[in-house]
Amino acid sequence: MFKKGQSDHKLSSVVPIKETVPEKKDVELILVKEQNGVQYTNNSLKYEAPVQEEQEREHWGKKIDFLLSVVGFSVDLANVWRFPYLCYKNGGGAFLIPYTLFLIIAGMPLFYMELALGQYNREGAATVWKICPCFKGVGYTVILIALYVGFYYNVIIAWSLYYLVSSFTYELPWTRCGNEWNTPNCTDPNHLNFSLLGNGTIYAKYKLTPAAEFYERGVLHLHQSTGIHDLGQPRWQLSICLFAVLIVLFFSLWKGVKTSGKVVWITATLPYVVLFVLLIRGITLPGSFRGISSYLHIDFKKLQEYTVWIDAATQIFYSLGAGFGVLIAFASYNKFDNNCYRDALLTSTVNCVTSFISGFAIFSILGYMAQKHNMRIEDVATDGPGLVFIIYPEAISTLQGSTVWAVIFFIMLITLGIDSAMGGMEAVITGLADDFAILKKHRKLFTFLVAVITFLFALLCITNGGIYVVTLLDTFAAGTSILFAVLIEAVGVSWFYGVDRFSDDIYRMLGFKPGLYWRLCWKFVSPAFLLFVVIASIANYNPLRYDTYHFPPWANRTGWIIAMSSMILVPLYFIYKFMTVKGSFKERLAYCITPENEYHLVAQGDIRQFKRQHWLTIG
């Protein structure tokens, strides 16, 4: 429970940090054992035997475990398959202007806010809202969204695993036609007259190459489905891969952050090693600098297009991963005096720099491919699964030692996906386990249950028409709904709880208050930014399609039902909370928006949120 404004109250118990006498610190340190953890008071350390009110919360084994987990979660597949193409499409180097701007005024402040919120409360995404009880529905919203994302995100990792296993051959299976999955029209790119593609079709969207047919027919079996209404049965090969992915996730998470913190030493660092190796190989290929120059070309005229700013705002939000409850869950296992401010600056910067650097590895290969086939860069440039499962593998297949390069590349994709999937599942487990004691008591069983539920629902995504389900979930499960959730979260923390109290909480942890810049961003800039992105997301909505396939109207309605199923939890919980507390209308409202540890003030009629000063102050 938050202890803001109660430093003069009698403290219930004091927990020693060490058995030996600690070193004197500049920051005042008395660690007080309370429901929310600990807090700072005077400048000497007092020691008494701890009161065993509850089991001590688990901590990360080492600080680096936490940092790697955060980096591993935020640096995911989108850093490789989305940012480079967005940068190229939206003016190259000019795109970095709105991207960096939104990082500074919105991305970093939201990242910092979630880390501080989780670390101070030492709670997951739901129970952290004891600071403003009526907003607890936001916690359930982000937990449900994280669960939805797991249904299809793990499938993409399973595809990568299938490719990895398929790569252990003398000749990569997507190198030539003539396989059982190929059509009679399959065309070797070396024998293709690109000027005859016609209909404005670019090579990146051409579906008759060996690589494209291996992906859509050999892996997905998309040719056996006529649409989302005709899914068919789950493919046993992909089912095995999906099962293997869930096994890895289960054993990485079942014992808590002590084990997951060790797993990320591999899953969070290996992608950087592989990315560096691919970059070095890429820039040594003929045509690579042509691709890199296209990636970095500067077109300031693009900044006049509003879509560029929308792309930059959306990308910075999704890239950092705020709002999924993961950052709150991870930070809740930190020590109380951990410098989460420095962590936020470091990890968010690493994420964005990784996105930028990955563009060199991607476009060096695209430049090589364009020169090899005598095409324009725009003919081979694409994003999403088409880049990492068709274009890039095809380019790799033309290299000497292609099997080795394919294995390296797909290991990178798997490790990029695994630690992000671990973060999403941890958000679900921590968020619900902190809210329901029985789940925390039986964490291993609960982790197993979450893994089983995720596996069963993910089976829909590995059917013959599974790519249509993946497309639907990718668009709706964490689209407008996650933007809405983070908007409400930012308003709840900055306005209802109050920037001044939030700043005081940070002072208790770090010994210094956030500067005026951060407080202004939290109260005004970040909510305005999120509102802008939410409106842009709705205004730019287009009916679902996958290449030339247009989803039926009922599929679009189903998508919006999925989105609303998480968003509706916000008003529903507010109504529930309002109806279950006692008192007059004013008192009920006061209890809903007052931190739980200040309920005695409501009984006294001293309601901070009903005073003008609360809404005007910025700390």
Side-chain angles (χ1 to χ4, degrees):
M1 189 176 296
F2 276 78
K3 298 298 295 176
K4 194 273 172 195
Q6 295 188 21
S7 58
D8 294 331
H9 288 221
K10 185 176 180 180
L11 305 176
S12 60
S13 59
V14 182
V15 176
I17 307 174
K18 301 179 181 179
E19 294 180 1
T20 58
V21 178
E23 298 178 359
K24 185 176 180 180
K25 295 188 176 182
D26 294 332
V27 180
E28 303 176 341
L29 265 174
I30 289 183
L31 298 182
V32 181
K33 181 74 167 58
E34 283 292 339
Q35 184 177 351
N36 72 311
V38 294
Q39 80 170 46
Y40 289 103
T41 55
N42 297 324
N43 61 353
S44 61
L45 284 165
K46 299 181 180 179
Y47 295 88
E48 298 175 12
V51 176
Q52 299 296 329
E53 295 176 356
E54 58 177 276
Q55 185 178 0
E56 180 65 25
R57 189 172 185 83
E58 184 181 12
H59 288 305
W60 294 98
K62 297 179 181 178
K63 171 67 175 286
I64 190 66
D65 296 352
F66 165 70
L67 293 177
L68 288 176
S69 296
V70 173
V71 170
F73 165 71
S74 58
V75 177
D76 65 354
L77 295 170
N79 293 72
V80 173
W81 79 23
R82 181 165 172 78
F83 176 84
Y85 179 74
L86 280 181
C87 187
Y88 162 77
K89 183 183 76 169
N90 290 314
F95 180 72
L96 297 178
I97 295 176
Y99 183 77
T100 305
L101 174 65
F102 287 134
L103 168 66
I104 294 173
I105 68 172
M108 281 184 174
L110 289 171
F111 206 88
Y112 181 18
M113 181 183 74
E114 289 210 342
L115 291 185
L117 194 62
Q119 183 171 304
Y120 184 85
N121 277 293
R122 303 178 71 191
E123 299 279 2
T127 47
V128 76
W129 285 105
K130 58 193 172 186
I131 64 173
C132 192
C134 67
F135 281 82
K136 191 175 182 179
V138 179
Y140 293 130
T141 295
V142 300
I143 290 171
L144 184 57
I145 290 173
L147 189 62
Y148 284 160
V149 171
F151 294 161
Y152 73 91
Y153 194 84
N154 295 324
V155 170
I156 299 174
I157 306 173
W159 295 345
S160 302
L161 180 58
Y162 186 92
Y163 265 85
L164 175 64
V165 174
S166 301
S167 298
F168 287 98
T169 57
Y170 178 75
E171 182 180 70
L172 295 175
W174 55 86
T175 303
R176 303 180 187 277
C177 299
N179 301 288
E180 61 180 355
W181 57 79
N182 291 126
T183 65
N185 296 324
C186 178
T187 307
D188 189 323
N190 294 318
H191 304 146
L192 182 62
N193 186 340
F194 299 102
S195 63
L196 299 180
L197 291 180
N199 298 323
T201 302
I202 63 174
Y203 183 73
K205 300 297 182 182
Y206 189 62
K207 298 300 183 181
L208 297 178
T209 63
E213 289 198 346
F214 177 77
Y215 173 61
E216 292 201 340
R217 299 174 63 86
V219 179
L220 304 182
H221 279 221
L222 185 58
H223 61 290
Q224 296 180 358
S225 172
T226 57
I228 194 170
H229 62 283
D230 178 27
L231 295 180
Q233 299 296 318
R235 296 200 57 229
W236 68 267
Q237 298 94 330
L238 292 180
S239 298
I240 293 175
C241 292
L242 179 63
F243 181 76
V245 170
L246 268 299
I247 286 293
V248 171
L249 291 176
F250 170 70
F251 282 106
S252 298
L253 296 171
W254 70 323
K255 289 187 177 180
V257 296
K258 293 291 186 183
T259 53
S260 65
K262 298 299 179 285
V263 174
V264 294
W265 278 80
I266 298 175
T267 58
T269 58
L270 189 57
Y272 286 93
V273 176
V274 175
L275 190 62
F276 178 74
V277 171
L278 291 174
L279 174 60
I280 297 301
R281 182 66 181 108
I283 61 178
T284 62
L285 296 172
S288 60
F289 285 97
R290 177 184 166 195
I292 292 173
S293 63
S294 297
Y295 171 54
L296 295 179
H297 78 286
I298 298 178
D299 182 5
F300 288 111
K301 292 182 180 179
K302 281 283 188 179
L303 298 181
Q304 300 174 9
E305 301 176 12
Y306 75 96
T307 55
V308 173
W309 294 83
I310 293 175
D311 282 345
T314 305
Q315 176 61 20
I316 200 65
F317 173 80
Y318 285 112
S319 178
L320 292 178
F324 289 89
V326 178
L327 300 178
I328 293 176
F330 281 166
S332 72
Y333 296 107
N334 277 334
K335 294 181 179 179
F336 187 75
D337 59 345
N338 173 66
N339 193 334
C340 57
Y341 170 66
R342 183 176 56 202
D343 295 345
L345 296 182
L346 175 64
T347 52
S348 58
T349 301
V350 167
N351 174 278
C352 295
V353 170
T354 302
S355 296
F356 181 65
I357 297 299
S358 69
F360 290 89
I362 296 298
F363 272 85
S364 61
I365 292 291
L366 294 182
Y368 157 74
M369 195 170 179
Q371 178 164 311
K372 180 178 177 62
H373 296 306
N374 194 26
M375 294 183 294
R376 302 170 301 172
I377 296 294
E378 52 262 39
D379 290 329
V380 295
T382 187
D383 62 349
L387 172 65
V388 297
F389 293 119
I390 299 177
I391 297 299
Y392 209 91
E394 180 180 324
I396 287 177
S397 69
T398 66
L399 303 177
Q400 186 176 2
S402 56
T403 295
V404 175
W405 294 112
V407 169
I408 290 174
F409 177 69
F410 289 111
I411 285 177
M412 181 185 75
L413 291 188
I414 291 170
T415 51
L416 279 173
I418 283 291
D419 44 19
S420 296
M422 284 169 55
M425 191 173 288
E426 183 62 58
V428 175
I429 295 168
T430 297
L432 294 178
D434 283 344
D435 201 20
F436 301 98
I438 189 172
L439 299 181
K440 179 176 286 189
K441 183 179 180 181
H442 302 284
R443 179 186 169 101
K444 293 180 182 179
L445 180 60
F446 180 47
T447 302
F448 177 77
L449 180 62
V450 172
V452 169
I453 292 173
T454 301
F455 176 78
L456 293 177
F457 277 93
L459 289 176
L460 289 173
C461 299
I462 55 174
T463 55
N464 296 334
I467 186 63
Y468 301 127
V469 181
V470 170
T471 302
L472 185 145
L473 289 175
D474 186 44
T475 303
F476 289 103
T480 303
S481 55
I482 193 66
L483 296 170
F484 168 79
V486 183
L487 171 60
I488 302 301
E489 176 186 294
V491 171
V493 173
S494 302
W495 287 88
F496 284 83
Y497 181 60
V499 167
D500 56 337
R501 279 195 288 194
F502 188 53
S503 298
D504 289 341
D505 295 343
I506 293 175
Y507 175 77
R508 293 188 180 95
M509 292 189 296
L510 309 184
F512 59 86
K513 282 191 175 184
L516 179 62
Y517 169 79
W518 297 103
R519 301 197 302 272
L520 288 174
C521 284
W522 286 330
K523 188 146 190 174
F524 301 108
V525 180
S526 293
F529 164 82
L530 290 166
L531 182 61
F532 163 73
V533 179
V534 169
I535 294 174
S537 171
I538 297 174
N540 287 277
Y541 165 74
N542 292 310
L544 281 176
R545 58 178 294 182
Y546 175 78
D547 287 339
T548 58
Y549 173 76
H550 293 266
F551 285 66
W554 68 263
N556 287 273
R557 291 194 294 269
T558 301
W560 280 112
I561 290 173
I562 292 173
M564 291 300 298
S565 68
S566 57
M567 291 190 286
I568 196 67
L569 297 178
V570 175
L572 284 182
Y573 189 85
F574 178 85
I575 295 173
Y576 163 78
K577 185 65 179 179
F578 184 83
M579 298 301 294
T580 53
V581 294
K582 298 180 179 179
S584 64
F585 180 90
K586 182 179 179 180
E587 288 173 333
R588 290 187 178 195
L589 181 60
Y591 280 120
C592 285
I593 62 178
T594 299
E596 291 179 357
N597 65 332
E598 295 183 4
Y599 275 3
H600 63 284
L601 298 178
V602 177
Q604 297 170 9
D606 183 13
I607 305 169
R608 174 189 172 103
Q609 286 79 2
F610 289 172
K611 299 176 182 178
R612 181 185 302 177
Q613 182 182 0
H614 169 79
W615 301 98
L616 297 180
T617 183
I618 57 173

